Amino acid sequence: MRRTTRRTPDGTRRGRRRLVRGAVLACVLALAPATWLHTSTAGSLRTTADVPARDVAVVFGAGLWKGRPTPYLAHRLDAAAELYRTGKVKVVLVTGDNGRVEYDEPDAMRAYLVEQGVPTTRVVSDHAGFDTWDSCVRAKRIFGVDRAVLVTQDFHIRRAVALCRAAGVDSYGVGVGEPRDAVWYQGQVRELAAAGKAAADVVLRPDPTFLGHREPGVAQALAAADRPAAD
């Protein structure tokens, strides 16, 4: 008995090739924003010890628990307090969500920094930093920040630097390291999705959720920092 070989129709093979090509293209497009973040921020990430001095540190919000900074946010603020104590920055701009009366990230961040020894006159609050792009644009357009050290977790710092640079803030980033726990891995996964939004923000340059009028807080804090101490 002769064994017959079933041949796959050419149309089916072409369909499979198209499917594979489509899957490869989808992966490339999905990873392109994350690749852009890594390449565009090369050489911009430092530690609290070797970051160049800047007048202003910008600390991004990361949630509250019972009115206090979450551990991740506290670690960001600890790094900013160290930058202040070592003279790397003169003023800290804390930016976060105050979209509800009962939820005020910036004031909780300010209180924590004061507990760590940063004078309250050296801490400026941005109450409309609803996301990273909003915080960066407002730092430039509302608070007049031209150069800054950005402080956030290591998985978020590249996006923060890229967006602040796109907003006109010459930035270096200090990425706070964390144990590789479930929260850290969630942050890494979230950044893959957020990279796409970051790329769209850079291209489209939307206004922040709330822009408002120019605020003199950073300029006033820097002027106070530059005044000679009273005898």
Side-chain angles (χ1 to χ4, degrees):
M1 180 181 295
R2 178 181 294 178
R3 180 177 295 176
T4 60
T5 301
R6 181 176 299 175
R7 295 183 179 180
T8 302
D10 289 343
T12 301
R13 281 199 291 266
R14 286 196 296 270
R16 289 175 179 171
R17 285 197 293 269
R18 291 194 191 99
L19 185 62
V20 171
R21 291 193 193 107
V24 171
L25 179 60
C27 290
V28 170
L29 292 176
L31 293 174
T35 302
W36 158 68
L37 288 179
H38 276 74
T39 56
S40 66
T41 57
S44 302
L45 307 187
R46 304 295 175 87
T47 67
T48 54
D50 64 12
V51 70
R54 292 286 187 265
D55 284 344
V56 182
V58 178
V59 185
F60 300 85
L64 303 179
W65 174 251
K66 296 182 178 180
R68 297 280 297 173
T70 60
Y72 270 36
L73 181 51
H75 297 163
R76 298 180 187 187
L77 295 166
D78 290 338
E82 181 180 348
L83 291 171
Y84 176 79
R85 286 193 296 267
T86 57
K88 291 297 182 74
V89 302
K90 300 175 182 178
V91 172
V92 181
L93 175 63
V94 293
T95 175
D97 186 352
N98 183 207
R100 306 186 306 276
V101 174
E102 69 277 9
Y103 189 86
D104 190 341
E105 274 188 317
D107 277 359
M109 295 163 74
R110 172 195 286 274
Y112 186 94
L113 284 171
V114 172
E115 290 172 3
Q116 304 307 308
V118 181
T120 187
T121 55
R122 305 293 178 86
V123 185
V124 179
S125 297
D126 173 14
H127 291 89
F130 298 120
D131 64 15
T132 306
W133 175 249
D134 282 15
S135 294
C136 290
V137 173
R138 285 178 55 81
K140 174 66 175 183
R141 294 172 60 182
I142 301 302
F143 294 93
V145 176
D146 295 318
R147 304 196 310 165
V149 177
L150 312 181
V151 184
T152 183
Q153 260 68 39
D154 52 4
F155 54 76
H156 175 227
I157 192 62
R158 290 184 183 275
R159 181 160 61 94
V161 170
L163 288 177
C164 278
R165 284 185 168 178
V169 181
D170 180 16
S171 304
Y172 281 94
V174 172
V176 178
E178 300 287 351
R180 300 311 192 245
D181 56 11
V183 177
W184 187 88
Y185 283 108
Q186 289 171 5
Q188 288 281 29
V189 171
R190 180 178 179 274
E191 284 302 306
L192 288 176
K197 179 183 180 301
D201 286 337
V202 169
V203 172
L204 300 176
R205 298 180 178 273
D207 282 337
T209 303
F210 180 81
L211 192 59
H213 301 291
R214 184 111 176 191
E215 297 187 17
V218 169
Q220 291 173 348
L222 287 173
D226 291 336
R227 281 197 294 266
D231 292 335

